[in-house]
Coordinates of all heavy atoms in Angstrom, one line a residue:
Chain A
R665 N 1.0 0.5 39.7 CA -0.1 -0.4 39.4 C -1.3 0.3 38.7 O -2.0 -0.3 37.9 CB -0.7 -1.0 40.7 CG 0.2 -2.1 41.2 CD -0.5 -3.0 42.3 NE 0.5 -3.7 43.0 CZ 1.1 -4.8 42.5 NH1 0.8 -5.3 41.4 NH2 2.1 -5.3 43.2
E666 N -1.4 1.6 38.9 CA -2.5 2.3 38.3 C -2.1 2.6 36.9 O -3.0 2.4 36.0 CB -2.6 3.6 39.1 CG -4.0 4.3 38.9 CD -4.1 5.6 39.7 OE1 -3.8 5.5 40.9 OE2 -4.4 6.6 39.1
V667 N -0.9 3.1 36.6 CA -0.6 3.5 35.2 C -0.5 2.3 34.3 O -1.0 2.3 33.1 CB 0.6 4.4 35.1 CG1 1.9 3.6 35.3 CG2 0.7 5.1 33.8
F668 N 0.0 1.2 34.7 CA 0.3 0.1 33.8 C -1.0 -0.7 33.5 O -1.0 -1.6 32.6 CB 1.4 -0.9 34.3 CG 2.7 -0.2 34.1 CD1 3.6 0.0 35.2 CD2 3.2 0.1 32.9 CE1 4.8 0.6 35.0 CE2 4.4 0.7 32.7 CZ 5.2 1.0 33.8
T669 N -2.1 -0.5 34.1 CA -3.4 -1.1 33.8 C -4.1 -0.2 32.8 O -5.2 -0.7 32.3 CB -4.3 -1.4 35.0 OG1 -4.3 -0.2 35.8 CG2 -3.7 -2.5 35.8
Q670 N -3.6 1.0 32.5 CA -4.3 1.8 31.6 C -3.7 1.7 30.2 O -2.9 2.5 29.7 CB -4.3 3.3 32.0 CG -5.0 3.5 33.4 CD -4.9 4.9 33.8 OE1 -4.9 5.8 33.1 NE2 -4.7 5.1 35.1
R671 N -4.1 0.6 29.5 CA -3.5 0.3 28.2 C -3.7 1.4 27.2 O -2.7 1.8 26.5 CB -4.1 -1.0 27.7 CG -3.5 -1.5 26.4 CD -4.0 -2.8 26.0 NE -5.4 -3.0 26.1 CZ -6.2 -2.7 25.1 NH1 -5.8 -2.2 23.9 NH2 -7.5 -2.8 25.2
E672 N -4.9 1.9 27.0 CA -5.1 3.0 26.0 C -4.3 4.2 26.2 O -3.7 4.8 25.3 CB -6.6 3.3 25.8 CG -7.3 2.3 25.0 CD -8.8 2.4 24.9 OE1 -9.2 3.6 25.1 OE2 -9.5 1.4 24.8
F673 N -4.3 4.6 27.5 CA -3.5 5.8 27.9 C -2.0 5.6 27.5 O -1.4 6.4 26.9 CB -3.6 6.0 29.4 CG -2.7 7.1 30.0 CD1 -3.0 8.4 29.9 CD2 -1.5 6.7 30.6 CE1 -2.2 9.4 30.4 CE2 -0.7 7.6 31.1 CZ -1.0 9.0 31.0
L674 N -1.5 4.4 27.9 CA -0.1 4.1 27.6 C 0.2 4.1 26.1 O 1.2 4.7 25.7 CB 0.3 2.7 28.2 CG 0.4 2.6 29.7 CD1 0.5 1.1 30.1 CD2 1.6 3.4 30.3
Y675 N -0.6 3.5 25.3 CA -0.4 3.5 23.9 C -0.4 4.9 23.3 O 0.4 5.2 22.5 CB -1.5 2.6 23.2 CG -1.1 1.2 23.0 CD1 -1.2 0.3 24.1 CD2 -0.5 0.7 21.8 CE1 -0.8 -1.0 23.9 CE2 -0.2 -0.6 21.7 CZ -0.3 -1.5 22.7 OH 0.1 -2.8 22.6
S676 N -1.3 5.7 23.9 CA -1.4 7.1 23.4 C -0.1 7.9 23.7 O 0.2 9.0 23.1 CB -2.6 7.8 23.9 OG -2.4 8.1 25.3
K677 N 0.7 7.4 24.7 CA 1.9 8.1 25.1 C 3.1 7.4 24.5 O 4.2 7.5 25.0 CB 2.0 8.2 26.6 CG 0.8 8.8 27.3 CD 0.4 10.2 26.8 CE -0.9 10.6 27.5 NZ -1.8 11.3 26.5
Q678 N 2.9 6.5 23.5 CA 4.0 5.7 22.9 C 4.6 4.7 23.8 O 5.8 4.3 23.7 CB 5.2 6.6 22.3 CG 4.8 7.9 21.7 CD 3.9 7.8 20.6 OE1 3.9 6.8 19.8 NE2 3.0 8.8 20.4
L679 N 3.8 4.4 24.9 CA 4.3 3.4 25.8 C 3.5 2.1 25.7 O 2.6 2.0 25.0 CB 4.3 4.0 27.3 CG 5.0 5.3 27.4 CD1 4.6 5.9 28.8 CD2 6.5 5.1 27.3
R680 N 3.9 1.1 26.5 CA 3.2 -0.2 26.4 C 3.1 -0.8 27.9 O 4.0 -0.5 28.6 CB 4.0 -1.2 25.6 CG 4.2 -0.8 24.1 CD 3.0 -0.9 23.3 NE 3.1 -0.5 21.9 CZ 2.9 0.7 21.4 NH1 2.6 1.7 22.2 NH2 3.1 0.9 20.1
P681 N 2.1 -1.5 28.1 CA 2.0 -2.2 29.4 C 3.0 -3.4 29.4 O 3.3 -3.9 28.3 CB 0.6 -2.7 29.6 CG 0.1 -2.7 28.2 CD 0.9 -1.8 27.3
P682 N 3.4 -3.9 30.6 CA 4.1 -5.2 30.6 C 3.3 -6.3 30.0 O 2.0 -6.2 30.1 CB 4.4 -5.4 32.1 CG 4.2 -4.1 32.8 CD 3.2 -3.4 31.9
E683 N 3.9 -7.3 29.4 CA 3.2 -8.4 28.8 C 2.2 -9.1 29.7 O 1.1 -9.5 29.4 CB 4.2 -9.4 28.2 CG 5.0 -8.9 27.1 CD 4.6 -9.5 25.8 OE1 5.0 -10.6 25.4 OE2 3.8 -8.8 25.1
V684 N 2.7 -9.3 31.0 CA 1.9 -10.0 31.9 C 0.6 -9.3 32.3 O -0.5 -9.8 32.5 CB 2.6 -10.4 33.2 CG1 3.6 -11.6 33.0 CG2 3.3 -9.2 33.9
T685 N 0.7 -7.9 32.3 CA -0.5 -7.1 32.6 C -1.5 -7.2 31.4 O -2.7 -7.3 31.6 CB -0.1 -5.6 32.7 OG1 1.1 -5.6 33.5 CG2 -1.2 -4.8 33.4
L686 N -0.9 -7.3 30.2 CA -1.8 -7.4 29.0 C -2.5 -8.8 29.0 O -3.6 -8.9 28.7 CB -0.8 -7.3 27.8 CG -1.4 -6.8 26.5 CD1 -2.0 -5.4 26.7 CD2 -0.3 -6.7 25.4
L687 N -1.7 -9.8 29.5 CA -2.3 -11.1 29.6 C -3.5 -11.2 30.5 O -4.5 -11.7 30.2 CB -1.2 -12.1 30.1 CG -1.7 -13.5 30.4 CD1 -1.7 -14.3 29.1 CD2 -0.8 -14.2 31.4
M688 N -3.4 -10.5 31.6 CA -4.5 -10.4 32.6 C -5.7 -9.7 32.0 O -6.8 -10.2 32.2 CB -4.0 -9.7 33.9 CG -3.0 -10.4 34.7 SD -3.7 -11.9 35.3 CE -2.3 -13.0 35.1
E689 N -5.4 -8.7 31.3 CA -6.6 -8.0 30.7 C -7.3 -8.9 29.7 O -8.5 -8.9 29.7 CB -6.1 -6.7 30.0 CG -7.2 -5.8 29.5 CD -6.7 -4.6 28.6 OE1 -5.6 -4.2 28.8 OE2 -7.5 -4.1 27.9
K690 N -6.5 -9.6 28.9 CA -7.2 -10.5 27.9 C -7.9 -11.7 28.6 O -8.9 -12.1 28.1 CB -6.1 -11.0 26.9 CG -5.6 -9.9 26.0 CD -5.0 -10.4 24.8 CE -4.8 -9.1 23.9 NZ -4.1 -9.4 22.6
L691 N -7.4 -12.2 29.7 CA -8.1 -13.2 30.4 C -9.4 -12.7 31.0 O -10.4 -13.4 31.0 CB -7.2 -13.8 31.5 CG -6.0 -14.7 31.1 CD1 -5.1 -15.1 32.3 CD2 -6.6 -16.0 30.5
R692 N -9.3 -11.5 31.5 CA -10.6 -10.9 32.0 C -11.6 -10.7 31.0 O -12.8 -11.0 31.2 CB -10.3 -9.5 32.7 CG -9.6 -9.6 34.0 CD -9.1 -8.2 34.4 NE -10.1 -7.2 34.6 CZ -10.7 -7.0 35.8 NH1 -10.3 -7.7 36.9 NH2 -11.6 -6.1 35.9
Q693 N -11.2 -10.4 29.8 CA -12.1 -10.2 28.6 C -12.8 -11.6 28.3 O -13.8 -11.7 27.8 CB -11.4 -9.7 27.4 CG -11.1 -8.2 27.5 CD -10.1 -7.7 26.4 OE1 -9.6 -8.5 25.6 NE2 -9.8 -6.5 26.5
R694 N -12.0 -12.7 28.6 CA -12.6 -14.0 28.4 C -13.3 -14.6 29.6 O -13.5 -15.8 29.7 CB -11.4 -14.9 28.0 CG -10.7 -14.5 26.7 CD -11.3 -14.9 25.4 NE -11.1 -16.3 25.1 CZ -10.2 -16.8 24.3 NH1 -9.3 -16.0 23.7 NH2 -10.1 -18.1 24.1
G695 N -13.6 -13.7 30.5 CA -14.4 -14.1 31.7 C -13.7 -14.6 32.9 O -14.3 -15.1 33.8
W696 N -12.4 -14.4 32.9 CA -11.6 -14.9 34.1 C -11.7 -13.8 35.2 O -11.5 -12.6 34.8 CB -10.2 -15.1 33.8 CG -9.9 -16.4 33.0 CD1 -10.5 -16.7 31.8 CD2 -9.0 -17.4 33.3 NE1 -10.1 -17.9 31.4 CE2 -9.1 -18.4 32.3 CE3 -8.1 -17.6 34.3 CZ2 -8.3 -19.5 32.3 CZ3 -7.3 -18.8 34.3 CH2 -7.5 -19.7 33.3
A697 N -11.9 -14.2 36.4 CA -12.0 -13.2 37.5 C -10.6 -12.9 38.1 O -10.4 -13.1 39.3 CB -12.9 -13.7 38.6
V698 N -9.6 -12.6 37.2 CA -8.3 -12.3 37.7 C -8.1 -10.8 37.9 O -8.7 -10.0 37.2 CB -7.2 -12.9 36.8 CG1 -7.1 -14.4 36.9 CG2 -7.4 -12.4 35.4
R699 N -7.2 -10.5 38.8 CA -6.8 -9.0 39.0 C -6.1 -8.6 37.7 O -5.4 -9.3 37.1 CB -5.8 -8.9 40.1 CG -6.4 -8.4 41.4 CD -5.3 -8.6 42.5 NE -4.0 -7.9 42.1 CZ -2.8 -8.3 42.5 NH1 -2.7 -9.3 43.4 NH2 -1.7 -7.7 42.2
Q700 N -6.3 -7.3 37.4 CA -5.6 -6.8 36.2 C -4.3 -6.1 36.5 O -3.4 -6.1 35.8 CB -6.5 -5.9 35.4 CG -6.0 -5.7 34.0 CD -6.6 -4.6 33.2 OE1 -7.8 -4.3 33.4 NE2 -5.9 -3.9 32.4
D701 N -4.2 -5.6 37.8 CA -3.0 -4.8 38.1 C -1.8 -5.7 38.6 O -1.3 -5.5 39.6 CB -3.3 -3.8 39.2 CG -3.8 -4.4 40.5 OD1 -4.1 -5.6 40.5 OD2 -3.8 -3.7 41.5
V702 N -1.5 -6.7 37.7 CA -0.4 -7.6 38.0 C 0.8 -7.1 37.2 O 0.7 -6.7 36.0 CB -0.9 -9.0 37.5 CG1 0.3 -9.8 37.0 CG2 -1.7 -9.7 38.5
L703 N 1.9 -7.0 37.8 CA 3.1 -6.4 37.2 C 4.3 -7.3 36.9 O 5.2 -7.0 36.2 CB 3.6 -5.2 38.0 CG 2.5 -4.0 38.1 CD1 3.1 -2.9 39.0 CD2 2.1 -3.5 36.8
T704 N 4.3 -8.5 37.6 CA 5.4 -9.4 37.4 C 4.9 -10.8 37.1 O 3.8 -11.2 37.3 CB 6.2 -9.5 38.7 OG1 5.4 -10.1 39.7 CG2 6.7 -8.1 39.2
V705 N 5.9 -11.6 36.6 CA 5.6 -13.1 36.3 C 5.1 -13.8 37.6 O 4.1 -14.5 37.5 CB 6.9 -13.8 35.7 CG1 6.7 -15.3 35.7 CG2 7.2 -13.2 34.4
E706 N 5.7 -13.5 38.7 CA 5.3 -14.2 40.0 C 3.9 -13.8 40.3 O 3.1 -14.7 40.7 CB 6.2 -13.7 41.1 CG 7.6 -14.2 41.1 CD 8.5 -13.6 40.0 OE1 8.3 -12.4 39.7 OE2 9.3 -14.4 39.4
E707 N 3.5 -12.6 40.2 CA 2.1 -12.2 40.5 C 1.2 -12.8 39.6 O 0.1 -13.3 39.9 CB 2.0 -10.6 40.4 CG 2.7 -9.9 41.6 CD 2.6 -8.4 41.4 OE1 1.9 -7.9 40.5 OE2 3.2 -7.7 42.2
A708 N 1.5 -12.9 38.3 CA 0.6 -13.4 37.3 C 0.4 -14.9 37.6 O -0.7 -15.5 37.5 CB 1.2 -13.2 35.9

Side-chain angles (χ1 to χ4, degrees):
Chain A
R665 285 197 197 282
E666 198 179 312
V667 74
F668 285 119
T669 47
Q670 297 180 37
R671 183 170 49 86
E672 279 173 28
F673 171 82
L674 290 168
Y675 270 80
S676 74
K677 308 303 174 224
Q678 324 299 328
L679 303 170
R680 301 287 181 267
E683 293 256 276
V684 288
T685 318
L686 209 56
L687 176 81
M688 290 298 142
E689 187 184 338
K690 291 199 171 178
L691 284 174
R692 282 165 68 89
Q693 285 163 2
R694 301 275 284 261
W696 287 52
V698 285
R699 257 172 52 207
Q700 197 191 324
D701 62 346
V702 151
L703 299 179
T704 64
V705 169
E706 288 70 34
E707 288 177 3

